[in-house]
Amino acid sequence: MRPLVSLEFFAKDTLKAVQRRDAVIAIDVLRCCSTIVTALANGAEGVIPTKTVNEARRLHKKHPELILAGERRGIKPRGFDLGNSPLEFSPQAIGGKRIIFTTTSGTKAIVFSQKTKWVLIGALLNAEAVAKAALKIAEKERLGISLVLSGREGKHFSLEDFLCAGLIVESLPTDTVELSDAALGSWLAYQQSRGSLYETIQKGYHAQYLKSIGFGEDVRFCSQVNVFDIVPICTNGTIIPLDLNLL
Ligand code: MLT
């Protein structure tokens, strides 16, 4: 039987994917998942997602050697080392280090998904790599695949996440999977915008907001397609690069 690819529009619906026991790809293009992919590609040892700023601060108090990073309303919280701009996560800043990370919706979606065994992190930056890894896992373990969009603030539809889901669907050979209507819809939307992806994403609510607070360059960076081969996986509360040779 071919794996069924489902799509959930909001982080709060992660539970549905967990109940199906699907392999989850958590998607947050602007900017949480793009930042995690970039951090690991630039040599971070691991990323520890937390739901709240207080949780992150408490953990950092216990482990002050770790980097404390994240955002609320797009801005670095008081006392944090780094915000949520992928451009801040250079090899010099985070190479060889572990990062405690909290964002408005992305890290919540990841933490909620942890009840299922396979939680991969997807963005436009690593869409093809994460699609291929998820397919291998789904075939080997006889699972479905759930694309879980974190959405804005976990509850509003997010255009860039939907388009990213579409690119992931496109990267799965059509004869290897079944698509839910929502997954098929994301693919159709991606096909429509592939030639003008950055321009399309730029029109979205969160891209406009990020631009208004000075993070327009992040939108451009996060709109790049298949720049990294890295597939982040969340296991035992930490996100690390998946060893693709083990699949
Ligand atoms: C989030 O997780 O809500 C986003 O990454 C917000 C942001 O762009 O900083």
Side-chain angles (χ1 to χ4, degrees), residues 28-33 35 70-75 84-85 101-108 150-154 206 209-210 213 215 218:
D28 184 4
V29 172
L30 296 175
R31 298 167 287 172
C32 171
C33 292
T35 299
E71 59 71 40
R72 283 302 177 271
R73 294 174 173 269
I75 311 282
N84 182 26
S85 167
F101 194 43
T102 182
T103 70
T104 308
S105 29
T107 55
K108 285 195 190 91
S150 65
R152 184 166 50 84
E153 290 156 23
H206 193 54
Y209 174 70
L210 287 174
I213 59 169
F215 290 115
D218 286 4

Side-chain angles (χ1 to χ4, degrees), residues 34-233:
S34 300
T35 299
I36 292 170
V37 169
T38 306
L40 293 181
N42 283 345
E45 195 185 283
V47 177
I48 303 166
T50 73
K51 280 188 285 188
T52 68
V53 168
N54 281 344
E55 221 179 304
R57 285 205 171 108
R58 276 199 302 273
L59 192 58
H60 190 246
K61 226 174 183 171
K62 278 197 210 156
H63 302 282
E65 72 284 6
L66 305 191
I67 291 185
L68 182 58
E71 59 71 40
R72 283 302 177 271
R73 294 174 173 269
I75 311 282
K76 178 171 85 167
R78 187 174 35 83
F80 274 42
D81 302 310
L82 299 175
N84 182 26
S85 167
L87 303 177
E88 288 181 80
F89 290 68
S90 63
Q92 294 80 355
I94 49 83
K97 307 236 172 82
R98 277 196 297 156
I99 302 161
I100 301 166
F101 194 43
T102 182
T103 70
T104 308
S105 29
T107 55
K108 285 195 190 91
I110 297 165
V111 172
F112 290 144
S113 308
Q114 278 184 82
K115 292 188 186 93
T116 196
K117 185 177 167 196
W118 298 97
V119 184
L120 309 180
I121 311 299
L124 290 165
L125 296 173
N126 72 336
E128 194 178 331
V130 80
K132 291 201 166 131
L135 182 59
K136 270 195 183 171
I137 292 165
E139 285 177 340
K140 199 168 147 197
E141 307 241 332
R142 295 173 172 270
L143 304 173
I145 299 172
S146 276
L147 307 168
V148 178
L149 318 189
S150 65
R152 184 166 50 84
E153 290 156 23
K155 57 184 182 212
H156 302 291
F157 174 76
S158 170
L159 176 65
E160 63 278 2
D161 293 347
F162 192 56
L163 295 175
C164 179
L167 174 57
I168 291 173
V169 169
E170 180 164 280
S171 311
L172 299 165
T174 34
D175 54 345
T176 59
V177 290
E178 305 272 353
L179 299 178
S180 71
D181 281 11
L184 178 59
S186 72
W187 186 20
L188 296 174
Y190 176 73
Q191 287 172 25
Q192 190 69 30
S193 60
R194 79 165 80 245
S196 55
L197 199 54
Y198 169 58
E199 290 74 11
T200 307
I201 288 175
Q202 236 191 348
K203 289 182 189 145
Y205 183 99
H206 193 54
Q208 290 291 322
Y209 174 70
L210 287 174
K211 212 169 158 196
S212 76
I213 59 169
F215 290 115
E217 270 313 300
D218 286 4
V219 180
R220 187 184 292 280
F221 181 83
C222 297
S223 300
Q224 300 176 98
V225 164
N226 296 331
V227 175
F228 299 120
D229 285 338
I230 206 121
V231 179
I233 179 166

